[in-house]
Every structure is written in C-alpha cells, then in structure tokens.
C-alpha cells in the first residue's frame, strides 16, 4: 500500500476547498439577474401630467448601483419639452429612487417596485420667462429583463407628485397653474459593470 495515498487525498481536498470560493464567485458573475455593482443606461419615456390633453416624449439616462441582489439605488436625469394651454414648458427631471427586486436571483425576468424623490427644473416660455425648481415624491413598478450578464432592458411606470407650476404672469388670468402630478412610462437599456 502506498503511504502517500492519504496525503494526496488531503492535498486534493485542500485544493477543492480553496477553489470553492473562486468557483462560487464565477458562478454568481456568470448568472443572470440583478447583482451587486454599477450599471449605466439610457431611457426613453412618455410623460403625461394630469391636466394635459396628451403626453410628451422625453429622453434621458440613469445610473443604478446595486447594493445587493435585491436592493438598488438609481439616479436618473432627462429632458422634456411640453406644451400646456398654449405655453411651452421645458422640464429637466432629476430623480433619485430606491428599487426593491421581488424575485430571487437567477431569474431572467426581475420585477421590482420603486420609490423616491425628484427635483424638476422647470422653465416657462412666457413674455416674462419664469424658471423654478419643483420637488416631489414618486412611486412605481417595473420589470427588468436580463439579456445576458452585462445587458438588460426594462420597462417601468411611475406616478409623480411634483409641485404644481404657478406662474405669475398677466397673460395667464387668475394665476392659472399647471399640474405637476402625472405618470411616466419608460423603456431603458442598461449595461452592468
């Protein structure tokens, strides 16, 4: 009987134990679904305020930082030009959200809920131009589809409770206001690092 046989088994067991964390990390990185790290993307969105007859399209970008497989933080910015009541309005929304993914890791489709706050730089084109920052919370839900380990696409819906726009202009009798409340539907493409 070979005296080196138990030594070889111990050596093999030690190598496998040491390789296990590296293998687990590789499997986690190779699987689909949300994972800790940074992702960048662009989005196109449809926004309609409560008092508008129709909505308008906007474009923008977002950065997501996945704290865990379930929790992520998102910062998003965009640009919207809309016409309400014959007045042209430019809005630059800056939204900060927390996302909670509802499915366990490994699923290709991952629904999530979100909530956060936004600051909305708003410029009204009136005889006396007016600019203001408005504030408001938002909440919504979405679904992210993981194409592979790096690319994903998602669709989301948010309801916004931003402050109303109240210009003080002689051409708008009775201080007409424009609703800052409304909904936003967005399509996005993300790249994860």
């Amino acid at each position: 009987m070979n005296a080196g046989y138990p030594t070889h088994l111990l050596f093999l067991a030690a190598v496998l134990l040491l390789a296990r964390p590296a293998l687990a990390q590789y499997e986690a990185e190779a699987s689909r679904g949300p994972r800790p790290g940074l992702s960048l993307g662009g989005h196109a969105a449809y926004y309609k305020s409560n008092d508008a007859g129709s909505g308008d399209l906007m474009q923008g970008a977002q950065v997501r930082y996945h704290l865990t497989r379930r929790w992520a933080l998102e910062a998003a910015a965009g640009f919207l030009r809309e016409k309400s009541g014959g007045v042209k309005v430019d809005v630059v929304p800056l939204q900060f959200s927390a996302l909670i993914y509802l499915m366990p890791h490994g699923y290709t489709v991952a629904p999530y809920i979100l909530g956060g706050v936004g600051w909305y730089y708003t410029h009204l084109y009136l005889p006396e131009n007016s600019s203001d920052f408005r504030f408001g919370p938002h909440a919504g839900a979405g679904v992210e589809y993981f194409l592979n380990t790096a690319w994903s696409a998602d669709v989301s819906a948010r309801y916004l409770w931003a402050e109303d726009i109240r210009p003080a202009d002689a051409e708008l009798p009775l201080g007409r206001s424009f609703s800052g409340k409304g909904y936003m539907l967005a399509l996005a493409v993300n790249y994860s690092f």
Side-chain angles (χ1 to χ4, degrees):
M1 183 169 179
N2 187 350
Y5 181 71
T7 307
H8 292 297
L9 282 177
L10 287 174
F11 177 74
L12 182 60
V15 167
L16 289 174
L17 284 174
L18 292 174
R20 182 176 159 83
L23 180 61
Q25 180 180 358
Y26 171 76
E27 288 174 356
E29 289 175 0
S31 65
R32 294 182 182 184
R35 61 188 169 132
L38 186 70
S39 71
L40 300 174
H43 66 260
Y46 173 83
Y47 173 75
K48 182 183 175 303
S49 63
N50 287 348
D51 66 353
S54 64
D56 291 287
L57 294 176
M58 66 183 287
Q59 64 279 345
Q62 73 271 350
V63 175
R64 285 184 184 162
Y65 184 72
H66 291 264
L67 303 166
T68 67
R69 295 181 191 279
R70 293 230 185 232
W71 288 86
L73 300 175
E74 178 185 79
F79 177 77
L80 169 69
R81 176 166 282 166
E82 64 179 328
K83 201 165 194 175
S84 182
V87 176
K88 188 168 66 168
V89 180
D90 286 347
V91 180
V92 178
L94 302 171
Q95 295 179 334
F96 302 93
S97 308
L99 287 75
I100 304 170
Y101 287 85
L102 303 175
M103 298 294 285
H105 181 71
Y107 283 83
T108 304
V109 176
Y112 59 87
I113 56 174
L114 64 90
V117 296
W119 286 268
Y120 305 90
Y121 171 76
T122 305
H123 182 81
L124 296 167
Y125 292 90
L126 297 168
E128 292 183 26
N129 289 342
S130 170
S131 295
D132 196 10
F133 278 95
R134 299 176 298 129
F135 175 80
H138 60 267
V143 175
E144 190 165 3
Y145 177 73
F146 291 87
L147 303 166
N148 55 37
T149 58
W151 289 96
S152 67
D154 73 77
V155 63
S156 66
R158 301 169 193 229
Y159 191 82
L160 305 127
W161 289 274
E163 297 170 304
D164 290 344
I165 304 167
R166 290 186 173 85
D169 189 85
E171 290 201 12
L172 295 175
L174 305 176
R176 171 157 187 233
S177 66
F178 302 97
S179 178
K181 296 160 190 63
Y183 65 89
M184 183 172 87
L185 304 173
L187 294 169
V189 175
N190 304 296
Y191 180 80
S192 298
F193 295 94

